[in-house]
Amino acid sequence: MRKIKKLALALVLGGMCTAMQAQDFNQYFENKTLRLDYIFGGNASQQYILLDELVRYPSWAGRQHHLSENALRGNGQIHLYDEATDQLIYTTSFSTLFQEWLSTEEASTTTKSFENVFLVPFPKQKTRIEVVLFDEKGNEKNKLVHVVQPHDILIHDKGGQEVTPHEYIHRAKDNAKAINVVLMAEGYTSEEMGQFMESARLSVGEIFKHKPFDQFGDNFNFIAVQSASLDSGVSVPRAGEWKKTAVESNFDTFYSERYLTTNRLKKVHDLLAGIPYEHIIILANTNVYGGGGIYNSYTLTTTGHKDFKPVVVHEFGHSFAGLADEYFYEQDVLSDFISNQTEPWEQNITTLKDFDSKWKKQLKKGTPVPTPIEQAKKYPLGVYEGLPGNGIYKGAMECRMRTNQYDKFCVVCQNAIERLIHFYID
């Protein structure tokens, strides 16, 4: 069964990823991290990408294979080219809070800036870096090109001495090939770190209860980072509450009450400097319901609400696997960022523009496409429209990416997560 899955993975990645010659990590990179700090700014009509700072970490905690491939397109990508040969030597994909904001009404009248931080392996030679943002149709919209000299004296070294206290709460079998995930404390004072550690352990346990994560415990490191806050709790602007917390998160993002995010990404990554990490979960000390998850950026969720455990898994589905929400409503923040004229890159939704690249081959013979909701019992895996007339379809009526009450990912999401895990570990 595993051989069949690996063959399927290879075929999928062949269509999803940039087909490039395999790169030797040690030929182009040191065992260190180059942290790229940018400011993304602008408004709905004009955007800018500005280089802010270059930072060096003492080790690299990401993949050392599939260097010139992306498992998912994302809403943006970073490409590293060896300047001497013009060869693509590394790429990664991402989404940003800035791009979400561009789809809001505020962006049509206001200009704002957002911090963004990305981690890439530290190059040995002069390297050209391209940062590309895509529009809702997947077309290149904005681009920044700059060159990095590895011996630049203005590259800021961090993480060598003062490292935030941290503890491994789950270890991979082979640390050299592990997927490294940190869980950060937000709104926990030094006296409340025991509560944070309990929430961190509960989060990891809940993730491993879900297929396919339960099959890959040997491939993950989960590290609890005790980033203390001066104040207990998090900021709630609508109540006039502004707290002094580790990463300065707040509710009411884009004036949506339950959307909890942070725009202080440099602060997030400064607190993580010197700790091996690639994926970030931020646990916020409040009983107010809410959270957010941004692909290859972070998950942020609250720990005091009764639905804490399903929410942390749902948001990790966003930030780790790039899964889309499977609930739909008229004023969705991202409603304008999915075009039904093209096939979305998220693996658990389709506009039927390129359904062959999604779960079409997994459908039971005779399944109607689209599938009427009244036939959901007959076709547990189908093609169900999110809202009448919106032209965006999902594979199942129930899924962890739709509701807190359903206790598992649907088959489409499970397969997408498993493909991504294999991309990292194989």
Side-chain angles (χ1 to χ4, degrees):
M1 179 63 70
R2 182 54 55 87
K3 288 182 179 179
I4 294 175
K5 288 181 178 178
K6 286 187 177 181
L7 175 59
L9 172 72
L11 293 173
V12 170
L13 292 179
M16 292 164 53
C17 305
T18 304
M20 297 294 294
Q21 182 179 356
Q23 307 296 332
D24 177 10
F25 182 88
N26 294 316
Q27 178 182 353
Y28 294 101
F29 300 107
E30 297 184 45
N31 182 26
K32 297 179 181 180
T33 295
L34 176 62
R35 194 182 103 186
L36 303 164
D37 295 358
Y38 298 102
I39 300 297
F40 291 1
N43 50 51
S45 61
Q46 193 169 20
Q47 298 88 46
Y48 305 93
I49 305 171
L50 305 173
L51 177 63
D52 181 25
E53 186 179 20
L54 300 177
V55 177
R56 177 169 40 223
Y57 290 168
S59 63
W60 169 244
R63 69 186 192 272
Q64 297 191 21
H65 57 286
H66 299 311
L67 297 178
S68 58
E69 303 170 4
N70 278 312
L72 300 172
R73 191 198 76 208
N75 292 328
Q77 293 182 6
I78 292 181
H79 310 301
L80 274 64
Y81 292 90
D82 179 62
E83 185 75 348
T85 62
D86 200 37
Q87 187 164 359
L88 179 64
I89 56 176
Y90 184 81
T91 182
T92 188
S93 59
F94 59 85
S95 295
T96 70
L97 193 63
F98 171 63
Q99 289 164 293
E100 292 187 20
W101 176 74
L102 289 176
S103 71
T104 68
E105 184 177 346
E106 184 185 32
S108 64
T109 59
T110 307
T111 297
K112 280 190 173 183
S113 66
F114 291 74
E115 295 181 358
N116 285 278
V117 176
F118 306 104
L119 307 179
V120 299
F122 199 92
K124 290 182 176 180
Q125 292 91 223
K126 184 178 179 182
T127 300
R128 184 175 80 257
I129 298 180
E130 297 182 357
V131 186
V132 180
L133 301 183
F134 304 123
D135 64 15
E136 69 279 3
K137 295 182 180 179
N139 299 318
E140 182 179 304
K141 186 175 184 181
N142 304 99
K143 186 175 185 179
L144 171 69
V145 180
H146 64 99
V147 172
V148 170
Q149 292 277 14
H151 302 297
D152 186 344
I153 61 171
L154 295 182
I155 297 177
H156 193 165
D157 285 294
K158 295 184 180 182
Q161 294 180 344
E162 294 185 7
V163 179
T164 307
H166 57 283
E167 178 182 328
Y168 281 77
I169 55 178
H170 180 87
R171 284 189 178 271
K173 187 174 182 180
D174 184 353
N175 194 58
K177 297 181 180 180
I179 299 171
N180 293 288
V181 185
V182 288
L183 301 101
M184 299 182 68
E186 166 67 342
Y188 289 89
T189 64
S190 297
E191 294 74 23
E192 294 173 318
M193 278 304 152
Q195 299 173 37
F196 162 70
M197 292 300 297
E198 177 61 22
S199 294
R201 293 187 182 95
L202 285 173
S203 299
V204 174
E206 194 67 18
I207 289 170
F208 281 136
K209 285 181 182 178
H210 287 71
K211 294 183 181 299
F213 290 110
D214 62 337
Q215 306 169 39
F216 294 97
D218 287 346
N219 303 109
F220 280 87
N221 281 327
F222 281 95
I223 308 166
V225 180
Q226 299 176 7
S227 40
S229 297
L230 292 177
D231 292 336
S232 179
V234 297
S235 297
V236 186
R238 63 182 177 275
E241 298 179 6
W242 292 96
K243 306 273 188 171
K244 296 177 181 178
T245 58
V247 301
E248 300 182 32
S249 68
N250 63 269
F251 284 97
D252 301 311
T253 301
F254 309 155
Y255 302 97
S256 176
E257 286 191 5
R258 68 181 188 181
Y259 200 8
L260 175 66
T261 68
T262 177
N263 191 30
R264 301 295 182 259
L265 292 187
K266 293 184 66 173
K267 198 167 187 178
V268 168
H269 288 266
D270 280 348
L271 287 166
L272 296 174
I275 301 170
Y277 72 99
E278 189 173 13
H279 303 279
I280 302 170
I281 298 173
I282 304 171
L283 300 179
N285 182 24
T286 174
N287 60 8
V288 179
Y289 180 79
I294 304 168
Y295 171 56
N296 271 352
S297 185
Y298 61 80
T299 278
L300 209 170
T301 189
T302 65
T303 58
H305 192 271
K306 64 180 180 63
D307 288 329
F308 152 56
K309 291 191 286 187
V311 170
V312 74
V313 178
H314 172 98
E315 300 300 349
F316 194 56
H318 288 310
S319 70
F320 174 76
L323 298 175
D325 282 320
E326 293 183 11
Y327 57 82
F328 299 88
Y329 50 93
E330 295 291 347
Q331 279 75 42
D332 191 349
V333 171
L334 287 177
S335 61
D336 294 331
F337 206 76
I338 297 175
S339 169
N340 56 20
Q341 302 303 308
T342 58
E343 186 65 27
W345 60 267
E346 295 91 341
Q347 296 302 290
N348 61 322
I349 58 173
T350 181
T351 56
L352 300 179
K353 297 300 179 183
D354 183 17
F355 188 38
D356 287 347
S357 68
K358 296 299 175 67
W359 61 93
K360 182 177 180 179
K361 295 181 178 62
Q362 303 171 42
L363 294 177
K364 177 182 176 182
K365 187 176 181 180
T367 303
V369 178
T371 313
I373 292 177
E374 55 270 21
Q375 296 191 42
K377 288 186 177 180
K378 183 177 181 181
Y379 301 105
L381 179 60
V383 188
Y384 297 101
E385 192 169 26
L387 282 175
N390 79 341
I392 302 173
Y393 302 86
K394 56 190 178 181
M397 292 302 297
E398 299 294 344
C399 178
R400 172 58 75 227
M401 296 310 295
R402 179 182 181 273
T403 177
N404 294 329
Q405 285 66 50
Y406 196 67
D407 63 354
K408 59 179 68 71
F409 288 106
C410 69
V411 172
V412 172
C413 288
Q414 289 182 35
N415 290 340
I417 294 169
E418 183 165 351
R419 288 194 299 269
L420 188 59
I421 291 173
H422 278 298
F423 177 79
Y424 282 116
I425 68 176
D426 291 342

